[in-house]
């Protein structure tokens, strides 16, 4: 701890301040959480797990919890304050009008039930406009989709719309409940996968980041069945090797 810095708060006061910080930040990187925890409590980074456990103890009575998920392409860990209520999509950290929540529900359904886990942006905007009576122009519908992407619920890349990392962290129970047959889990890290590659031999999937970690050896082989994954089909937004005839436009 730097002695020149303001003395960190201790005990219950520090915990209250950190809970407050999480509630206002809502969705943040692990680096941001480390920095806030160190600034407020003076705890070293290696005490983060204990800090998270104690915060979850404080958040529990409010049906909230701090959960994390790995960003599937970069491998960075992100955290979110999530609702543990029965319908987490109605209790999102970001307050949206009901029509925007209806658009999010609908677009998540379209993406998750799509074979390739992505839908074209123009298709998404058309669907958003149809779901939202207030979206009187295409521009308004585009803005709704973009806002959902900016807030981390969806991702828009190269004209494809996919599931955002925040939805993987906050809405996994909702998605697993609503679309149990559509869930994919990375066979290396065991976290939910909404992008990556599929083993042609055994159909297990790998995140892009997890495939990269294994690829240091000249050839990538499937952690589940040990077969070479040379011609693996990819899924999720921005998937150049995908063979589906559908075009994003
Ligand atoms: Zn993984
Ligand atoms: Zn395999």
């Amino acid at each position: 701890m730097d002695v020149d810095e303001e003395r960190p708060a201790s005990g219950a006061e520090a915990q209250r301040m950190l809970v407050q910080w999480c509630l206002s930040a809502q969705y943040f990187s692990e680096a941001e959480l480390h920095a806030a925890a160190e600034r407020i409590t003076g705890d070293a980074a290696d005490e983060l797990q204990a800090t998270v456990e104690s915060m979850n103890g404080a958040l529990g009575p409010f049906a909230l919890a701090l959960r994390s998920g790995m960003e599937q392409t970069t491998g960075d860990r992100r955290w979110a304050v999530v609702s543990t209520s029965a319908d987490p999509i109605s209790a999102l950290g970001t307050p949206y009008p009901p029509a925007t929540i209806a658009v999010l529900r609908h677009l998540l359904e379209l993406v998750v039930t799509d074979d390739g886990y992505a839908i074209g942006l123009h298709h998404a905007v058309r669907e958003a406009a149809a779901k939202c009576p207030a979206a009187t122009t295409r521009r308004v519908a585009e803005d709704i989709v973009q806002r959902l992407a900016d807030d981390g619920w969806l991702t828009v890349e190269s004209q494809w719309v996919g599931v955002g990392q925040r939805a993987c962290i906050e809405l996994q129970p909702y998605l697993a409940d609503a679309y149990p047959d559509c869930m994919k889990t990375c066979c290396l890290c065991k976290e939910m996968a909404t992008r990556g590659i599929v083993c042609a031999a055994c159909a297990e999937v790998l995140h892009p980041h997890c495939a990269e970690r294994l690829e240091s050896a000249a050839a990538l082989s499937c952690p589940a069945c040990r077969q070479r994954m040379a011609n693996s089909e990819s899924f999720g937004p921005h998937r150049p090797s995908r063979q589906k005839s559908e075009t994003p436009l």
Side-chain angles (χ1 to χ4, degrees), residues 1 12 17 23 29 32 60 66 78 86-87 114 120 148 172 206 212 216-217 228-229 234-235 242 248:
M1 183 173 51
M17 287 167 72
L23 287 173
S29 67
E32 289 168 318
L66 204 52
R78 291 195 70 85
D87 184 13
D114 179 85
L148 290 168
Q172 186 172 357
L206 273 175
E212 215 168 81
S216 45
R228 286 276 304 275
M229 292 181 82
S234 61
F235 65 100
R242 207 178 160 221

Side-chain angles (χ1 to χ4, degrees), residues 187 198-205 221-229:
C187 66
V198 188
C199 173
C202 74
E204 291 282 352
V205 304
S221 52
C222 172
C225 73
R226 301 284 155 208
Q227 297 293 306
R228 286 276 304 275
M229 292 181 82

Side-chain angles (χ1 to χ4, degrees), residues 71-139:
E71 209 288 310
Q72 299 171 56
T73 305
T74 63
D76 295 335
R77 190 148 285 278
R78 291 195 70 85
W79 289 80
V81 177
V82 314
S83 164
T84 55
S85 70
D87 184 13
I89 206 163
S90 295
L92 295 178
T94 326
Y96 294 123
T100 303
I101 290 183
V103 168
L104 177 58
R105 265 185 213 277
H106 183 57
L107 294 183
L108 284 174
E109 172 171 353
L110 292 177
V111 171
V112 168
T113 56
D114 179 85
D115 288 346
Y117 255 70
I119 59 170
L121 177 59
H122 292 252
H123 179 198
V125 168
R126 264 199 316 275
E127 294 290 329
K131 270 282 157 192
C132 185
T136 44
T137 65
R138 183 183 169 82
R139 182 62 198 271

